[in-house]
Amino acid sequence: MIRKIITHPDSILTKVSEPVSEINDDIRQLLEDMAETMRANTGVGLAAPQVGLNIRVVVLDVDDEAESKKFGLIKMINPRIVAREEEIHFEEGCLSVPNLRVTTSRSARICVCFLDENGKSRELTAEGLLAVAIQHEIDHLDGKLIIDHLSRLKRDLFLKKQKKSAN
Ligand code: ZN
C-alpha cells in the first residue's frame, strides 16, 4: 500500500524517532509499504517519519551508475553508523522537502549496523551515493532535514519563501 508522504514543516519530521523493540508483521508490512511508496515517488530512500511514524526504520534502493553496481532493495531497522571515513560533497533532494536541492557534506565511506526484517544483525559497508543516502535517512530518524545542512542565511530565506507560499 502506498502511504502518504509527510512534508516539511510537519513536526513529525523534526522529532527523534524511537528504536523498534519488536520486529513483527506490522513492521514487515510497514517496510513493504515504504518500499512501494519510495518507488512510486522515484526516491532512493525513505524513512518511517516520512510516512508519519516516529520509529527507526528505513528503506533504500540505490542504483549507483558511477560504480555500475545495483544494490537492490535494502531494509534497515535501528540502523547505526559505526565507522566513517573521508568527506564527500553531494547535492541532495528530499521527498519531504519538495523543490529544494542542498549541497551537503557527508562521510564518503561508512559502516552501518542494523537489524533486517527477520531480526538478524547485519553490517554493511557503503560508499558513494549509497553511503550518502544512508546518512540522509538516518538524519530523518534524528529529526534532521536537508534544510539543516543549509547556512543560516539560506535556511532563513527558504523558510521565509515557504511561509509566503503557504499564506
Ligand atoms: Zn529525505
Side-chain angles (χ1 to χ4, degrees), residues 9-47:
D10 194 305
S11 66
I12 286 171
L13 295 171
T14 51
K15 279 190 194 129
V16 177
S17 290
E18 295 288 332
V20 174
S21 52
E22 195 202 337
I23 298 167
N24 53 26
D25 286 343
D26 288 344
I27 295 292
R28 283 183 279 272
Q29 185 61 52
L30 171 67
L31 283 159
E32 274 307 307
D33 289 355
M34 284 171 62
E36 206 181 326
T37 307
M38 169 179 67
R39 284 175 172 150
N41 289 279
T42 56
V44 296
L46 198 69

PDB file of all heavy atoms in Angstrom, residues 9-47:
ATOM      1  N   PRO A   9       6.529  21.796   6.814  1.00  0.00           N
ATOM      2  CA  PRO A   9       7.041  21.808   8.190  1.00  0.00           C
ATOM      3  C   PRO A   9       6.262  20.960   9.200  1.00  0.00           C
ATOM      4  O   PRO A   9       6.083  21.367  10.339  1.00  0.00           O
ATOM      5  CB  PRO A   9       6.915  23.290   8.546  1.00  0.00           C
ATOM      6  CG  PRO A   9       5.680  23.743   7.815  1.00  0.00           C
ATOM      7  CD  PRO A   9       5.563  22.878   6.588  1.00  0.00           C
ATOM      8  N   ASP A  10       5.816  19.763   8.856  1.00  0.00           N
ATOM      9  CA  ASP A  10       5.137  18.886   9.822  1.00  0.00           C
ATOM     10  C   ASP A  10       6.109  18.519  10.961  1.00  0.00           C
ATOM     11  O   ASP A  10       7.253  18.135  10.702  1.00  0.00           O
ATOM     12  CB  ASP A  10       4.683  17.610   9.103  1.00  0.00           C
ATOM     13  CG  ASP A  10       3.681  16.809   9.920  1.00  0.00           C
ATOM     14  OD1 ASP A  10       4.013  16.469  11.089  1.00  0.00           O
ATOM     15  OD2 ASP A  10       2.582  16.541   9.434  1.00  0.00           O
ATOM     16  N   SER A  11       5.622  18.600  12.208  1.00  0.00           N
ATOM     17  CA  SER A  11       6.510  18.402  13.369  1.00  0.00           C
ATOM     18  C   SER A  11       6.996  16.950  13.518  1.00  0.00           C
ATOM     19  O   SER A  11       7.985  16.686  14.191  1.00  0.00           O
ATOM     20  CB  SER A  11       5.814  18.853  14.649  1.00  0.00           C
ATOM     21  OG  SER A  11       4.714  18.014  14.907  1.00  0.00           O
ATOM     22  N   ILE A  12       6.302  16.007  12.852  1.00  0.00           N
ATOM     23  CA  ILE A  12       6.756  14.605  12.879  1.00  0.00           C
ATOM     24  C   ILE A  12       8.188  14.498  12.342  1.00  0.00           C
ATOM     25  O   ILE A  12       8.987  13.696  12.809  1.00  0.00           O
ATOM     26  CB  ILE A  12       5.800  13.719  12.034  1.00  0.00           C
ATOM     27  CG1 ILE A  12       4.483  13.513  12.789  1.00  0.00           C
ATOM     28  CG2 ILE A  12       6.439  12.368  11.692  1.00  0.00           C
ATOM     29  CD1 ILE A  12       3.389  12.840  11.984  1.00  0.00           C
ATOM     30  N   LEU A  13       8.506  15.363  11.378  1.00  0.00           N
ATOM     31  CA  LEU A  13       9.814  15.297  10.709  1.00  0.00           C
ATOM     32  C   LEU A  13      10.959  15.822  11.558  1.00  0.00           C
ATOM     33  O   LEU A  13      12.123  15.589  11.249  1.00  0.00           O
ATOM     34  CB  LEU A  13       9.763  16.063   9.379  1.00  0.00           C
ATOM     35  CG  LEU A  13       8.830  15.484   8.315  1.00  0.00           C
ATOM     36  CD1 LEU A  13       8.709  16.450   7.140  1.00  0.00           C
ATOM     37  CD2 LEU A  13       9.324  14.130   7.838  1.00  0.00           C
ATOM     38  N   THR A  14      10.645  16.544  12.627  1.00  0.00           N
ATOM     39  CA  THR A  14      11.720  17.115  13.442  1.00  0.00           C
ATOM     40  C   THR A  14      11.855  16.422  14.804  1.00  0.00           C
ATOM     41  O   THR A  14      12.604  16.858  15.660  1.00  0.00           O
ATOM     42  CB  THR A  14      11.499  18.637  13.643  1.00  0.00           C
ATOM     43  OG1 THR A  14      10.170  18.859  14.104  1.00  0.00           O
ATOM     44  CG2 THR A  14      11.698  19.381  12.337  1.00  0.00           C
ATOM     45  N   LYS A  15      11.101  15.327  14.995  1.00  0.00           N
ATOM     46  CA  LYS A  15      11.211  14.550  16.239  1.00  0.00           C
ATOM     47  C   LYS A  15      12.283  13.475  16.102  1.00  0.00           C
ATOM     48  O   LYS A  15      12.501  12.948  15.018  1.00  0.00           O
ATOM     49  CB  LYS A  15       9.872  13.863  16.535  1.00  0.00           C
ATOM     50  CG  LYS A  15       8.865  14.777  17.197  1.00  0.00           C
ATOM     51  CD  LYS A  15       7.655  13.978  17.679  1.00  0.00           C
ATOM     52  CE  LYS A  15       6.519  14.918  18.012  1.00  0.00           C
ATOM     53  NZ  LYS A  15       5.258  14.548  17.368  1.00  0.00           N
ATOM     54  N   VAL A  16      12.909  13.122  17.230  1.00  0.00           N
ATOM     55  CA  VAL A  16      13.845  11.997  17.245  1.00  0.00           C
ATOM     56  C   VAL A  16      13.021  10.714  17.353  1.00  0.00           C
ATOM     57  O   VAL A  16      12.175  10.586  18.240  1.00  0.00           O
ATOM     58  CB  VAL A  16      14.837  12.110  18.425  1.00  0.00           C
ATOM     59  CG1 VAL A  16      15.750  10.882  18.474  1.00  0.00           C
ATOM     60  CG2 VAL A  16      15.676  13.382  18.296  1.00  0.00           C
ATOM     61  N   SER A  17      13.238   9.775  16.434  1.00  0.00           N
ATOM     62  CA  SER A  17      12.435   8.548  16.393  1.00  0.00           C
ATOM     63  C   SER A  17      12.932   7.504  17.394  1.00  0.00           C
ATOM     64  O   SER A  17      14.106   7.448  17.722  1.00  0.00           O
ATOM     65  CB  SER A  17      12.447   7.971  14.978  1.00  0.00           C
ATOM     66  OG  SER A  17      11.700   8.802  14.125  1.00  0.00           O
ATOM     67  N   GLU A  18      11.992   6.657  17.828  1.00  0.00           N
ATOM     68  CA  GLU A  18      12.273   5.610  18.819  1.00  0.00           C
ATOM     69  C   GLU A  18      12.764   4.335  18.129  1.00  0.00           C
ATOM     70  O   GLU A  18      12.286   3.982  17.058  1.00  0.00           O
ATOM     71  CB  GLU A  18      10.985   5.255  19.573  1.00  0.00           C
ATOM     72  CG  GLU A  18      10.406   6.367  20.427  1.00  0.00           C
ATOM     73  CD  GLU A  18      11.239   6.624  21.670  1.00  0.00           C
ATOM     74  OE1 GLU A  18      11.892   5.677  22.142  1.00  0.00           O
ATOM     75  OE2 GLU A  18      11.253   7.779  22.135  1.00  0.00           O
ATOM     76  N   PRO A  19      13.681   3.603  18.780  1.00  0.00           N
ATOM     77  CA  PRO A  19      14.095   2.309  18.225  1.00  0.00           C
ATOM     78  C   PRO A  19      12.914   1.332  18.201  1.00  0.00           C
ATOM     79  O   PRO A  19      12.003   1.442  19.022  1.00  0.00           O
ATOM     80  CB  PRO A  19      15.153   1.816  19.209  1.00  0.00           C
ATOM     81  CG  PRO A  19      15.546   2.985  20.026  1.00  0.00           C
ATOM     82  CD  PRO A  19      14.383   3.933  20.034  1.00  0.00           C
ATOM     83  N   VAL A  20      12.941   0.388  17.259  1.00  0.00           N
ATOM     84  CA  VAL A  20      11.936  -0.671  17.194  1.00  0.00           C
ATOM     85  C   VAL A  20      12.327  -1.735  18.212  1.00  0.00           C
ATOM     86  O   VAL A  20      13.463  -2.205  18.224  1.00  0.00           O
ATOM     87  CB  VAL A  20      11.894  -1.284  15.774  1.00  0.00           C
ATOM     88  CG1 VAL A  20      10.966  -2.484  15.722  1.00  0.00           C
ATOM     89  CG2 VAL A  20      11.472  -0.230  14.762  1.00  0.00           C
ATOM     90  N   SER A  21      11.384  -2.121  19.098  1.00  0.00           N
ATOM     91  CA  SER A  21      11.724  -3.109  20.124  1.00  0.00           C
ATOM     92  C   SER A  21      11.284  -4.509  19.717  1.00  0.00           C
ATOM     93  O   SER A  21      11.868  -5.504  20.133  1.00  0.00           O
ATOM     94  CB  SER A  21      11.110  -2.716  21.468  1.00  0.00           C
ATOM     95  OG  SER A  21       9.737  -2.461  21.319  1.00  0.00           O
ATOM     96  N   GLU A  22      10.243  -4.603  18.891  1.00  0.00           N
ATOM     97  CA  GLU A  22       9.781  -5.925  18.458  1.00  0.00           C
ATOM     98  C   GLU A  22       9.541  -5.932  16.951  1.00  0.00           C
ATOM     99  O   GLU A  22       8.748  -5.134  16.444  1.00  0.00           O
ATOM    100  CB  GLU A  22       8.486  -6.289  19.195  1.00  0.00           C
ATOM    101  CG  GLU A  22       8.137  -7.758  19.080  1.00  0.00           C
ATOM    102  CD  GLU A  22       6.659  -8.037  19.322  1.00  0.00           C
ATOM    103  OE1 GLU A  22       5.984  -7.226  19.990  1.00  0.00           O
ATOM    104  OE2 GLU A  22       6.173  -9.068  18.818  1.00  0.00           O
ATOM    105  N   ILE A  23      10.243  -6.816  16.252  1.00  0.00           N
ATOM    106  CA  ILE A  23      10.077  -6.902  14.798  1.00  0.00           C
ATOM    107  C   ILE A  23       8.979  -7.919  14.507  1.00  0.00           C
ATOM    108  O   ILE A  23       9.169  -9.123  14.678  1.00  0.00           O
ATOM    109  CB  ILE A  23      11.411  -7.272  14.123  1.00  0.00           C
ATOM    110  CG1 ILE A  23      12.434  -6.160  14.411  1.00  0.00           C
ATOM    111  CG2 ILE A  23      11.218  -7.455  12.617  1.00  0.00           C
ATOM    112  CD1 ILE A  23      13.856  -6.529  14.076  1.00  0.00           C
ATOM    113  N   ASN A  24       7.822  -7.415  14.122  1.00  0.00           N
ATOM    114  CA  ASN A  24       6.660  -8.283  13.895  1.00  0.00           C
ATOM    115  C   ASN A  24       6.085  -8.032  12.494  1.00  0.00           C
ATOM    116  O   ASN A  24       6.677  -7.323  11.687  1.00  0.00           O
ATOM    117  CB  ASN A  24       5.608  -8.034  14.984  1.00  0.00           C
ATOM    118  CG  ASN A  24       5.261  -6.544  15.087  1.00  0.00           C
ATOM    119  OD1 ASN A  24       5.395  -5.800  14.106  1.00  0.00           O
ATOM    120  ND2 ASN A  24       4.830  -6.110  16.251  1.00  0.00           N
ATOM    121  N   ASP A  25       4.920  -8.622  12.219  1.00  0.00           N
ATOM    122  CA  ASP A  25       4.316  -8.478  10.893  1.00  0.00           C
ATOM    123  C   ASP A  25       3.951  -7.029  10.571  1.00  0.00           C
ATOM    124  O   ASP A  25       3.968  -6.636   9.405  1.00  0.00           O
ATOM    125  CB  ASP A  25       3.077  -9.376  10.774  1.00  0.00           C
ATOM    126  CG  ASP A  25       3.464 -10.850  10.633  1.00  0.00           C
ATOM    127  OD1 ASP A  25       4.643 -11.117  10.298  1.00  0.00           O
ATOM    128  OD2 ASP A  25       2.602 -11.717  10.861  1.00  0.00           O
ATOM    129  N   ASP A  26       3.620  -6.236  11.603  1.00  0.00           N
ATOM    130  CA  ASP A  26       3.310  -4.818  11.358  1.00  0.00           C
ATOM    131  C   ASP A  26       4.533  -4.089  10.805  1.00  0.00           C
ATOM    132  O   ASP A  26       4.416  -3.270   9.888  1.00  0.00           O
ATOM    133  CB  ASP A  26       2.870  -4.127  12.666  1.00  0.00           C
ATOM    134  CG  ASP A  26       1.482  -4.585  13.099  1.00  0.00           C
ATOM    135  OD1 ASP A  26       0.757  -5.177  12.264  1.00  0.00           O
ATOM    136  OD2 ASP A  26       1.127  -4.362  14.273  1.00  0.00           O
ATOM    137  N   ILE A  27       5.693  -4.392  11.373  1.00  0.00           N
ATOM    138  CA  ILE A  27       6.938  -3.765  10.914  1.00  0.00           C
ATOM    139  C   ILE A  27       7.265  -4.231   9.490  1.00  0.00           C
ATOM    140  O   ILE A  27       7.646  -3.437   8.634  1.00  0.00           O
ATOM    141  CB  ILE A  27       8.112  -4.098  11.877  1.00  0.00           C
ATOM    142  CG1 ILE A  27       7.873  -3.472  13.265  1.00  0.00           C
ATOM    143  CG2 ILE A  27       9.452  -3.631  11.296  1.00  0.00           C
ATOM    144  CD1 ILE A  27       7.917  -1.963  13.327  1.00  0.00           C
ATOM    145  N   ARG A  28       7.090  -5.543   9.250  1.00  0.00           N
ATOM    146  CA  ARG A  28       7.368  -6.073   7.908  1.00  0.00           C
ATOM    147  C   ARG A  28       6.427  -5.463   6.863  1.00  0.00           C
ATOM    148  O   ARG A  28       6.836  -5.148   5.748  1.00  0.00           O
ATOM    149  CB  ARG A  28       7.297  -7.602   7.904  1.00  0.00           C
ATOM    150  CG  ARG A  28       8.550  -8.243   8.523  1.00  0.00           C
ATOM    151  CD  ARG A  28       8.506  -9.765   8.451  1.00  0.00           C
ATOM    152  NE  ARG A  28       7.695 -10.327   9.519  1.00  0.00           N
ATOM    153  CZ  ARG A  28       8.162 -10.648  10.744  1.00  0.00           C
ATOM    154  NH1 ARG A  28       9.446 -10.476  11.026  1.00  0.00           N
ATOM    155  NH2 ARG A  28       7.375 -11.150  11.657  1.00  0.00           N
ATOM    156  N   GLN A  29       5.166  -5.269   7.250  1.00  0.00           N
ATOM    157  CA  GLN A  29       4.209  -4.634   6.343  1.00  0.00           C
ATOM    158  C   GLN A  29       4.604  -3.179   6.081  1.00  0.00           C
ATOM    159  O   GLN A  29       4.540  -2.682   4.951  1.00  0.00           O
ATOM    160  CB  GLN A  29       2.785  -4.692   6.937  1.00  0.00           C
ATOM    161  CG  GLN A  29       1.706  -4.154   5.996  1.00  0.00           C
ATOM    162  CD  GLN A  29       1.619  -4.950   4.695  1.00  0.00           C
ATOM    163  OE1 GLN A  29       1.498  -6.173   4.711  1.00  0.00           O
ATOM    164  NE2 GLN A  29       1.712  -4.267   3.561  1.00  0.00           N
ATOM    165  N   LEU A  30       5.036  -2.507   7.156  1.00  0.00           N
ATOM    166  CA  LEU A  30       5.480  -1.111   7.024  1.00  0.00           C
ATOM    167  C   LEU A  30       6.643  -1.014   6.036  1.00  0.00           C
ATOM    168  O   LEU A  30       6.667  -0.145   5.161  1.00  0.00           O
ATOM    169  CB  LEU A  30       5.889  -0.555   8.390  1.00  0.00           C
ATOM    170  CG  LEU A  30       6.576   0.818   8.375  1.00  0.00           C
ATOM    171  CD1 LEU A  30       5.620   1.908   7.920  1.00  0.00           C
ATOM    172  CD2 LEU A  30       7.159   1.165   9.748  1.00  0.00           C
ATOM    173  N   LEU A  31       7.625  -1.938   6.166  1.00  0.00           N
ATOM    174  CA  LEU A  31       8.782  -1.942   5.261  1.00  0.00           C
ATOM    175  C   LEU A  31       8.339  -2.133   3.809  1.00  0.00           C
ATOM    176  O   LEU A  31       8.845  -1.477   2.902  1.00  0.00           O
ATOM    177  CB  LEU A  31       9.762  -3.050   5.670  1.00  0.00           C
ATOM    178  CG  LEU A  31      10.631  -2.737   6.901  1.00  0.00           C
ATOM    179  CD1 LEU A  31      11.168  -4.022   7.513  1.00  0.00           C
ATOM    180  CD2 LEU A  31      11.782  -1.802   6.549  1.00  0.00           C
ATOM    181  N   GLU A  32       7.384  -3.044   3.591  1.00  0.00           N
ATOM    182  CA  GLU A  32       6.836  -3.259   2.244  1.00  0.00           C
ATOM    183  C   GLU A  32       6.191  -1.991   1.712  1.00  0.00           C
ATOM    184  O   GLU A  32       6.435  -1.573   0.584  1.00  0.00           O
ATOM    185  CB  GLU A  32       5.771  -4.369   2.282  1.00  0.00           C
ATOM    186  CG  GLU A  32       6.308  -5.763   2.159  1.00  0.00           C
ATOM    187  CD  GLU A  32       7.203  -5.946   0.937  1.00  0.00           C
ATOM    188  OE1 GLU A  32       6.758  -5.609  -0.169  1.00  0.00           O
ATOM    189  OE2 GLU A  32       8.356  -6.391   1.117  1.00  0.00           O
ATOM    190  N   ASP A  33       5.349  -1.383   2.546  1.00  0.00           N
ATOM    191  CA  ASP A  33       4.638  -0.168   2.146  1.00  0.00           C
ATOM    192  C   ASP A  33       5.613   0.969   1.849  1.00  0.00           C
ATOM    193  O   ASP A  33       5.428   1.732   0.898  1.00  0.00           O
ATOM    194  CB  ASP A  33       3.669   0.287   3.260  1.00  0.00           C
ATOM    195  CG  ASP A  33       2.476  -0.643   3.398  1.00  0.00           C
ATOM    196  OD1 ASP A  33       2.335  -1.575   2.577  1.00  0.00           O
ATOM    197  OD2 ASP A  33       1.678  -0.438   4.337  1.00  0.00           O
ATOM    198  N   MET A  34       6.657   1.067   2.687  1.00  0.00           N
ATOM    199  CA  MET A  34       7.643   2.131   2.482  1.00  0.00           C
ATOM    200  C   MET A  34       8.392   1.930   1.168  1.00  0.00           C
ATOM    201  O   MET A  34       8.652   2.891   0.438  1.00  0.00           O
ATOM    202  CB  MET A  34       8.622   2.194   3.660  1.00  0.00           C
ATOM    203  CG  MET A  34       8.019   2.840   4.908  1.00  0.00           C
ATOM    204  SD  MET A  34       9.082   2.675   6.365  1.00  0.00           S
ATOM    205  CE  MET A  34      10.543   3.562   5.835  1.00  0.00           C
ATOM    206  N   ALA A  35       8.727   0.670   0.848  1.00  0.00           N
ATOM    207  CA  ALA A  35       9.418   0.380  -0.418  1.00  0.00           C
ATOM    208  C   ALA A  35       8.532   0.767  -1.597  1.00  0.00           C
ATOM    209  O   ALA A  35       8.984   1.389  -2.564  1.00  0.00           O
ATOM    210  CB  ALA A  35       9.796  -1.102  -0.474  1.00  0.00           C
ATOM    211  N   GLU A  36       7.246   0.429  -1.492  1.00  0.00           N
ATOM    212  CA  GLU A  36       6.298   0.745  -2.560  1.00  0.00           C
ATOM    213  C   GLU A  36       6.144   2.262  -2.707  1.00  0.00           C
ATOM    214  O   GLU A  36       6.101   2.795  -3.820  1.00  0.00           O
ATOM    215  CB  GLU A  36       4.953   0.089  -2.217  1.00  0.00           C
ATOM    216  CG  GLU A  36       4.089  -0.225  -3.415  1.00  0.00           C
ATOM    217  CD  GLU A  36       2.751  -0.848  -3.008  1.00  0.00           C
ATOM    218  OE1 GLU A  36       2.732  -1.601  -2.006  1.00  0.00           O
ATOM    219  OE2 GLU A  36       1.747  -0.552  -3.679  1.00  0.00           O
ATOM    220  N   THR A  37       6.063   2.938  -1.567  1.00  0.00           N
ATOM    221  CA  THR A  37       5.896   4.393  -1.563  1.00  0.00           C
ATOM    222  C   THR A  37       7.127   5.083  -2.148  1.00  0.00           C
ATOM    223  O   THR A  37       7.008   6.026  -2.940  1.00  0.00           O
ATOM    224  CB  THR A  37       5.646   4.899  -0.123  1.00  0.00           C
ATOM    225  OG1 THR A  37       4.556   4.164   0.439  1.00  0.00           O
ATOM    226  CG2 THR A  37       5.328   6.388  -0.109  1.00  0.00           C
ATOM    227  N   MET A  38       8.312   4.571  -1.776  1.00  0.00           N
ATOM    228  CA  MET A  38       9.568   5.126  -2.285  1.00  0.00           C
ATOM    229  C   MET A  38       9.625   4.998  -3.807  1.00  0.00           C
ATOM    230  O   MET A  38       9.951   5.956  -4.511  1.00  0.00           O
ATOM    231  CB  MET A  38      10.745   4.388  -1.638  1.00  0.00           C
ATOM    232  CG  MET A  38      12.099   4.661  -2.259  1.00  0.00           C
ATOM    233  SD  MET A  38      13.429   3.771  -1.394  1.00  0.00           S
ATOM    234  CE  MET A  38      13.038   2.062  -1.767  1.00  0.00           C
ATOM    235  N   ARG A  39       9.286   3.816  -4.310  1.00  0.00           N
ATOM    236  CA  ARG A  39       9.352   3.576  -5.760  1.00  0.00           C
ATOM    237  C   ARG A  39       8.330   4.412  -6.509  1.00  0.00           C
ATOM    238  O   ARG A  39       8.620   4.939  -7.583  1.00  0.00           O
ATOM    239  CB  ARG A  39       9.162   2.099  -6.051  1.00  0.00           C
ATOM    240  CG  ARG A  39      10.434   1.332  -5.722  1.00  0.00           C
ATOM    241  CD  ARG A  39      10.261  -0.146  -5.868  1.00  0.00           C
ATOM    242  NE  ARG A  39      11.563  -0.811  -5.732  1.00  0.00           N
ATOM    243  CZ  ARG A  39      11.725  -2.035  -5.261  1.00  0.00           C
ATOM    244  NH1 ARG A  39      10.679  -2.743  -4.900  1.00  0.00           N
ATOM    245  NH2 ARG A  39      12.928  -2.559  -5.174  1.00  0.00           N
ATOM    246  N   ALA A  40       7.134   4.523  -5.938  1.00  0.00           N
ATOM    247  CA  ALA A  40       6.083   5.307  -6.585  1.00  0.00           C
ATOM    248  C   ALA A  40       6.488   6.767  -6.719  1.00  0.00           C
ATOM    249  O   ALA A  40       6.025   7.480  -7.605  1.00  0.00           O
ATOM    250  CB  ALA A  40       4.784   5.194  -5.790  1.00  0.00           C
ATOM    251  N   ASN A  41       7.385   7.223  -5.827  1.00  0.00           N
ATOM    252  CA  ASN A  41       7.832   8.616  -5.856  1.00  0.00           C
ATOM    253  C   ASN A  41       9.252   8.753  -6.427  1.00  0.00           C
ATOM    254  O   ASN A  41       9.878   9.801  -6.292  1.00  0.00           O
ATOM    255  CB  ASN A  41       7.789   9.206  -4.444  1.00  0.00           C
ATOM    256  CG  ASN A  41       6.354   9.410  -3.966  1.00  0.00           C
ATOM    257  OD1 ASN A  41       5.720  10.392  -4.314  1.00  0.00           O
ATOM    258  ND2 ASN A  41       5.832   8.466  -3.203  1.00  0.00           N
ATOM    259  N   THR A  42       9.741   7.663  -7.051  1.00  0.00           N
ATOM    260  CA  THR A  42      11.098   7.580  -7.592  1.00  0.00           C
ATOM    261  C   THR A  42      12.163   8.136  -6.644  1.00  0.00           C
ATOM    262  O   THR A  42      13.057   8.876  -7.043  1.00  0.00           O
ATOM    263  CB  THR A  42      11.230   8.255  -8.987  1.00  0.00           C
ATOM    264  OG1 THR A  42      10.795   9.608  -8.902  1.00  0.00           O
ATOM    265  CG2 THR A  42      10.432   7.524 -10.019  1.00  0.00           C
ATOM    266  N   GLY A  43      12.064   7.754  -5.378  1.00  0.00           N
ATOM    267  CA  GLY A  43      13.079   8.118  -4.394  1.00  0.00           C
ATOM    268  C   GLY A  43      14.125   7.018  -4.279  1.00  0.00           C
ATOM    269  O   GLY A  43      13.892   5.893  -4.725  1.00  0.00           O
ATOM    270  N   VAL A  44      15.286   7.339  -3.702  1.00  0.00           N
ATOM    271  CA  VAL A  44      16.315   6.317  -3.483  1.00  0.00           C
ATOM    272  C   VAL A  44      16.338   5.861  -2.024  1.00  0.00           C
ATOM    273  O   VAL A  44      17.051   4.935  -1.668  1.00  0.00           O
ATOM    274  CB  VAL A  44      17.729   6.802  -3.895  1.00  0.00           C
ATOM    275  CG1 VAL A  44      17.785   7.076  -5.389  1.00  0.00           C
ATOM    276  CG2 VAL A  44      18.145   8.030  -3.108  1.00  0.00           C
ATOM    277  N   GLY A  45      15.547   6.538  -1.181  1.00  0.00           N
ATOM    278  CA  GLY A  45      15.468   6.159   0.215  1.00  0.00           C
ATOM    279  C   GLY A  45      14.239   6.762   0.859  1.00  0.00           C
ATOM    280  O   GLY A  45      13.691   7.756   0.366  1.00  0.00           O
ATOM    281  N   LEU A  46      13.780   6.117   1.942  1.00  0.00           N
ATOM    282  CA  LEU A  46      12.633   6.641   2.669  1.00  0.00           C
ATOM    283  C   LEU A  46      12.743   6.210   4.130  1.00  0.00           C
ATOM    284  O   LEU A  46      13.110   5.076   4.417  1.00  0.00           O
ATOM    285  CB  LEU A  46      11.327   6.108   2.059  1.00  0.00           C
ATOM    286  CG  LEU A  46      10.040   6.862   2.416  1.00  0.00           C
ATOM    287  CD1 LEU A  46      10.009   8.251   1.764  1.00  0.00           C
ATOM    288  CD2 LEU A  46       8.805   6.075   1.967  1.00  0.00           C
ATOM    289  N   ALA A  47      12.443   7.149   5.041  1.00  0.00           N
ATOM    290  CA  ALA A  47      12.495   6.855   6.474  1.00  0.00           C
ATOM    291  C   ALA A  47      11.073   6.899   7.036  1.00  0.00           C
ATOM    292  O   ALA A  47      10.221   7.641   6.542  1.00  0.00           O
ATOM    293  CB  ALA A  47      13.380   7.883   7.191  1.00  0.00           C
TER     294      ALA A  47
END
